[in-house]
Amino acid sequence: MFDKSKKIFEQKRVSRNWRTLGIIGAGRGTGVTHLSVWAANYLTGVRRGRTAVLEWNSHGDFMRMAEFCGSPGKGIPYKILEADYYAQAGARELAECLNKNYRYVIVDYGEITGQGFADCARCDLKVIVGSLSEWQAEAFLKIIREDEKRDRSWKYAAAFGSEETRESIEKSYRIPVWRIPCAKDAFAITHADIIFLKELLGD
């Protein structure tokens, strides 16, 4: 899958602004899917850009969301508000999205794996979502310690855990760690949400 996704990204990469956003988690339950859905609603509702969201993992969250909304499942995109969702997607769905008139393609990679991390690296902008809670912080720190080899297209964010820990990491490793604000509804975008997502995703 890596070879296929590498070829697809290289063929479709654009030179101005980012088009693909990869979101991947330093562990399970860090908020990757929530951020993916939230970002999609910001990009469609505020930026007014046609957006696709791909579930590039086996967690099954998009299938359950499709069932809840009464929409088709795997292999058939379904729409919630203005964004198109692809459950259990892969290289074929990615190529389909990049060949369509989407302004943004968000890929939810789920928990970090070797293959998922390599695939995520092909995106124009990458967000690693971790947790600063005591029982999950070490996994996040392990990823951050390897930061020296990464370019600025990688960003780090956390929704859970100590603010003191977040500030300590920023000071120790000299990288920003974005604090994801509490957003109870990923389908509702407030003024505060707009400010945060604009800063995280850039113009």
Side-chain angles (χ1 to χ4, degrees), residues 60-74 78 80 87-88:
D61 293 336
F62 281 29
M63 288 289 287
R64 287 187 285 273
M65 190 162 61
E67 292 170 359
F68 183 81
C69 297
S71 301
K74 183 178 179 181
Y78 60 93
I80 299 179
Q88 297 180 5

Side-chain angles (χ1 to χ4, degrees), residues 1-202:
M1 185 172 290
F2 173 68
D3 290 337
K4 289 182 180 179
S5 64
K6 177 182 178 181
K7 184 176 180 181
I8 292 167
F9 278 120
E10 289 178 347
Q11 289 175 341
K12 299 299 179 181
R13 187 170 300 281
V14 294
S15 59
R16 293 184 179 180
N17 297 325
W18 62 269
R19 185 178 181 180
T20 53
L21 167 62
I23 304 178
I24 196 164
R28 288 295 297 268
T30 58
V32 172
T33 298
H34 191 280
L35 181 58
S36 298
V37 174
W38 195 34
N41 286 292
Y42 163 73
L43 293 171
T44 55
V46 178
R47 293 271 191 93
R48 306 307 301 167
R50 189 177 179 215
T51 302
V53 193
L54 280 64
E55 180 187 39
W56 196 287
N57 60 70
S58 59
H59 296 171
D61 293 336
F62 281 29
M63 288 289 287
R64 287 187 285 273
M65 190 162 61
E67 292 170 359
F68 183 81
C69 297
S71 301
K74 183 178 179 181
I76 304 173
Y78 60 93
K79 188 179 292 289
I80 299 179
L81 297 180
E82 298 180 67
D84 295 332
Y85 292 83
Y86 291 76
Q88 297 180 5
R92 181 177 65 83
E93 289 79 12
L94 175 61
E96 179 183 332
C97 289
L98 293 178
N99 281 315
K100 287 185 175 180
N101 190 31
Y102 285 112
R103 178 66 187 89
Y104 305 106
V105 177
I106 300 172
V107 187
D108 174 350
Y109 288 99
E111 182 181 6
I112 287 177
T113 62
Q115 186 63 64
F117 195 82
D119 288 336
C120 185
R122 298 292 169 185
C123 292
D124 300 301
L125 176 65
K126 286 79 73 171
V127 179
I128 298 176
V129 182
S131 171
L132 301 174
S133 299
E134 289 78 3
W135 55 93
Q136 291 179 304
E138 184 56 36
F140 196 23
L141 282 169
K142 182 180 179 181
I143 297 298
I144 290 173
R145 291 187 190 111
E146 300 169 357
D147 176 72
E148 293 180 0
K149 297 180 180 179
R150 301 197 189 107
D151 58 45
R152 292 186 179 181
S153 63
W154 289 89
K155 295 191 176 184
Y156 302 88
F160 312 115
S162 165
E163 182 64 14
E164 182 180 351
T165 301
R166 188 190 69 81
E167 292 175 354
S168 175
I169 290 172
E170 287 191 326
K171 183 177 180 180
S172 298
Y173 296 95
R174 298 181 181 178
I175 58 169
V177 177
W178 301 86
R179 168 65 73 182
I180 301 173
C182 178
K184 295 181 180 180
D185 185 355
F187 295 97
I189 304 296
T190 68
H191 179 67
D193 297 341
I194 291 172
I195 293 173
F196 168 75
L197 289 166
K198 182 178 181 180
E199 290 179 347
L200 178 67
L201 304 181

